[in-house]
Amino acid sequence: MMAVKLLPPADDAYNYPLLIKQLLLSAERYAGDNEIVGGNNGKRYSYAEFVERVHRLANVLTEAGVKEGDTVAVLDWDTPRYLECFFAVPMIGAVLHTVNVRLAPEQIVYTMNHAHDDLVLVHDDFLPLIAKVQDELTTVKGYIQLTDAEQAPQAPMTTIGDYETLLAAALPEFDFPDFDENAIATTFYTTGTTGNPKGVFFTHRQLVLHTLALASTTSMNDNMQLLQASSVYMPITPMFHVHAWGVPYVATMMGLKQVYPGRYEPASLVRLFATEKVTFSHCVPTILQMVLSSEKAKAIDFSGWQVLIGGSALTEGLASAALERGIQVYTGYGMSETCPLLSTTWLPQNAAELSHDEQVRLRVKTGKPVPLVNMRIIDENGRFLPHDGEAMGEVVVRTPWLTQGYLNEPQKSNELWENGWMHTGDVGSIEPSYTLQIRDRIKDVVKTGGEWVSSLDIENLISQHPAVELAAVVGLPDDEWGERPHAVITLQAGAEVDYDGIVAHMQQFIAEGHIEKWAVPDTVKIVDEIPRTSVGKIDKKRIRSELAGD
């Protein structure tokens, strides 16, 4: 290692640790009259009240026996109290486990035992589940009830008490300690195609650095001012999924008005957008499609709403539909293991002069790496490939907020970090301008006749048919070609199209050189709903299984 010169600090110099409590320092400074709103129950909190509630929650947790290094699990919808947990739990030195409430019961039990949860905060809706499996939870010592009702209903199990009653009785001040910024602050579980969910974890230092990078990214482009003092933020990504992409930490640091919608229901989301004057949200494509397709959305003017799309590819069809409704959509890229932000759409200075189609093509690109991200593509032998927009390889990254491994999974951790770069499992190309375009997941690339065909490219082209609402493409085994692409689609309300219509639609892209003829799917199945994972992504594992069984 290179020798560098280090100077001794002053005797009384304060070695400022990057802790989550430091993000809370500025919240009240900038908030003014901004509020934190609970769409689930209509309650509104000033930032002064919010900060006091964080202090009270810290006292509740310590009174319940939570110590530094213990793990506190939360099973809740997106609420202001979840935001309070984002701060209070790690600020006392404990680890926040954001439980994926959409997993199967046996997987929820697995993740809670694997994380060694000590205390569980659980919403009324999930109390019956926890009551049923509590004997299988090997490390849990107590439960706190979360309710949206004025008075908590009787719980089907013994609890320490209900959240609001405990907060009301707690002291309003807590002396949050300093400790090592590399202490683990949060953990959650990411699901794959095989095996049990894998636990990823993030330190205070990583979360603070991610927050600062995200804050700069969302305001540094003149044509993509997502978070400013006047912004109104509403997440439509579950708070159990990568800390709602880390945006609640940024919004709180900036003192923005925040709206937490509770359980996601299209009509409720549309209502909150209109009544609270929401300006910025983020979600996976299927959630945006669900909102746009809802009956209540038909009468709404969405002008002024900026939405960052991630989790899976934003197709040109959906991007075009959103822009036509007044929604400014952008693409963000990352994964659970990356905290998650790696890259975002980058619009040029003359973006307003571009045509609708040119805007769409820019907005669906995976974008430029954000500050502090070092991104490369490699071939199957680990060699770096050129950034010429043509070469395709696995995307590998380095940045200070990447998880250092999987919780208690050393072999999988070593595979994730082979040769000192985090391996994303995504196939992409990088243009000379540094713009990344994800072509597919390695496991989802269709290998037909010795050629790699991007399932995302095919989905994108199919989605541009006016009758198609959403498309998903998977590869299935084929005796002659190795694999062949097959598609499932949902249709716009009242629209009709058949296989021949899709093939005819694809012919124009073959003629224009966008795809080869072997990229046209062998079958197109029209379905009422495309399967999704627990976080709203298209579930290609299940689609493959269902198509193979047909």
Side-chain angles (χ1 to χ4, degrees):
M1 182 176 290
M2 181 179 177
V4 295
K5 184 177 182 179
L6 298 176
L7 295 176
D11 291 342
D12 293 328
Y14 177 59
N15 186 18
Y16 195 105
L18 299 181
L19 299 174
I20 287 174
K21 72 174 185 177
Q22 320 295 10
L23 299 177
L24 199 59
L25 286 176
S26 61
E28 287 185 82
R29 299 175 191 167
Y30 307 130
D33 295 331
N34 287 340
E35 297 175 312
I36 297 171
V37 181
N40 54 313
N41 56 19
K43 291 186 177 179
R44 297 172 179 270
Y45 305 97
S46 69
Y47 266 77
E49 290 171 324
F50 167 75
V51 172
E52 180 180 307
R53 286 171 64 86
V54 170
H55 282 250
R56 288 179 181 271
L57 177 55
N59 282 305
V60 168
L61 296 173
T62 52
E63 284 292 320
V66 177
K67 307 179 299 298
E68 284 189 19
D70 284 352
T71 300
V72 177
V74 178
L75 292 86
D76 196 8
W77 306 113
D78 287 10
T79 64
R81 60 176 168 256
Y82 214 144
L83 183 65
E84 292 156 12
C85 292
F86 268 35
F87 285 88
V89 174
M91 282 166 58
I92 64 172
V95 179
L96 173 67
H97 175 198
T98 55
V99 179
N100 184 341
V101 296
R102 294 175 182 161
L103 291 176
E106 60 271 17
Q107 288 186 311
I108 289 178
V109 170
Y110 171 82
T111 62
M112 294 178 70
N113 284 336
H114 191 265
H116 296 164
D117 292 341
D118 295 282
L119 181 70
V120 182
L121 281 64
V122 53
H123 187 275
D124 290 339
D125 289 352
F126 310 114
L127 278 172
L129 165 65
I130 296 299
K132 185 176 180 180
V133 302
Q134 63 176 321
D135 290 341
E136 301 174 47
L137 299 175
T138 57
T139 61
V140 174
K141 303 176 184 68
Y143 302 89
I144 291 176
Q145 183 178 0
L146 309 175
T147 185
D148 295 327
E150 285 298 321
Q151 186 170 351
Q154 180 67 41
M157 52 194 282
T158 301
T159 69
I160 295 171
D162 79 90
Y163 188 91
E164 292 298 333
T165 300
L166 292 170
L167 250 64
L171 293 173
E173 294 182 356
F174 189 94
D175 184 16
F176 292 103
D178 277 359
F179 45 80
D180 192 325
E181 64 184 20
N182 293 302
I184 297 174
T186 65
T187 188
F188 57 88
Y189 285 75
T190 178
T191 56
T193 55
T194 59
N196 288 316
K198 299 186 293 293
V200 299
F201 54 91
F202 295 95
T203 66
H204 284 254
R205 180 177 187 272
Q206 289 171 326
L207 289 170
V208 170
L209 289 173
H210 182 269
T211 300
L212 298 176
L214 181 56
S216 64
T217 299
T218 52
S219 61
M220 65 193 289
N221 188 310
D222 289 347
N223 294 306
M224 193 174 133
Q225 295 288 307
L226 304 182
L227 292 175
Q228 304 175 83
S230 59
S231 298
V232 179
Y233 165 61
M234 180 175 73
I236 321 180
T237 302
M239 298 181 78
F240 65 71
H241 186 220
V242 208
H243 329 105
W245 299 356
V247 185
Y249 283 125
V250 181
T252 304
M253 179 184 72
M254 295 176 66
L256 304 183
K257 178 179 177 180
Q258 303 181 59
V259 181
Y260 287 86
R263 187 171 185 168
Y264 294 168
E265 296 173 349
S268 176
L269 295 175
V270 172
R271 174 183 59 80
L272 288 170
F273 161 77
T275 59
E276 301 298 335
K277 298 179 172 53
V278 173
T279 65
F280 174 60
S281 297
H282 49 81
C283 62
V284 298
T286 48
I287 299 296
L288 178 60
Q289 184 72 64
M290 179 182 72
V291 170
L292 287 175
S293 301
S294 68
E295 189 65 30
K296 194 172 182 64
K298 294 179 180 178
I300 296 292
D301 177 5
F302 287 109
S303 297
W305 196 15
Q306 301 187 88
V307 179
L308 186 66
I309 298 294
S312 52
L314 172 63
T315 65
E316 291 188 20
L318 180 56
S320 179
L323 288 172
E324 287 171 356
R325 297 294 305 278
I327 302 174
Q328 298 297 310
V329 287
Y330 314 91
T331 294
Y333 169 63
M335 51 196 290
S336 296
E337 291 85 345
T338 66
C339 203
L341 187 65
L342 293 175
S343 69
T344 60
T345 294
W346 187 265
L347 296 178
Q349 293 292 326
N350 67 337
E353 302 170 10
L354 300 177
S355 69
H356 176 88
D357 289 346
E358 290 172 322
Q359 290 259 2
V360 166
R361 284 192 290 272
L362 272 176
R363 291 168 187 268
V364 300
K365 287 187 176 183
T366 319
K368 294 180 187 283
V370 305
L372 304 186
V373 170
N374 188 359
M375 179 180 291
R376 304 293 296 271
I377 52 174
I378 59 172
D379 65 16
E380 57 189 10
N381 296 313
R383 294 174 299 207
F384 292 127
L385 295 171
H387 296 176
D388 58 8
E390 298 294 332
M392 290 198 302
E394 184 183 10
V395 179
V396 294
V397 292
R398 286 174 172 170
T399 196
W401 51 78
L402 307 178
T403 188
Q404 297 299 287
Y406 294 116
L407 193 63
N408 304 323
E409 303 258 19
Q411 181 176 345
K412 292 177 180 177
S413 299
N414 290 335
E415 293 171 359
L416 180 69
W417 276 100
E418 184 179 1
N419 296 323
W421 289 80
M422 177 179 279
H423 291 250
T424 66
D426 288 319
V427 176
S429 60
I430 300 178
E431 299 172 0
S433 65
Y434 302 98
T435 298
L436 169 70
Q437 183 60 52
I438 294 298
R439 302 297 183 182
D440 220 334
R441 292 289 291 169
I442 288 177
K443 63 189 178 186
D444 292 332
V445 169
V446 183
K447 304 173 185 68
T448 181
E451 299 287 341
W452 278 19
V453 176
S454 166
S455 66
L456 300 183
D457 286 349
I458 306 173
E459 290 165 2
N460 185 42
L461 297 177
I462 293 175
S463 76
Q464 294 178 51
H465 191 289
V468 174
E469 178 187 57
L470 190 64
V473 172
V474 298
L476 294 179
D478 183 89
D479 291 338
E480 181 177 0
W481 299 101
E483 277 188 331
R484 290 293 300 142
H486 296 259
V488 293
I489 63 174
T490 58
L491 301 181
Q492 301 284 357
E496 293 184 4
V497 71
D498 58 13
Y499 175 73
D500 290 338
I502 295 297
V503 172
H505 167 72
M506 298 294 279
Q507 292 302 316
Q508 62 180 305
F509 301 112
I510 296 173
E512 294 168 359
H514 293 296
I515 55 171
E516 300 292 346
K517 61 183 180 181
W518 53 77
V520 176
D522 278 6
T523 62
V524 176
K525 183 178 181 180
I526 299 172
V527 296
D528 293 330
E529 186 175 359
I530 291 178
R532 302 174 186 172
T533 67
S534 60
V535 294
K537 300 179 185 180
I538 292 175
D539 190 343
K540 293 197 173 182
K541 177 184 175 183
R542 184 174 160 192
I543 292 171
R544 287 189 196 95
S545 176
E546 292 178 354
L547 289 180
D550 283 351

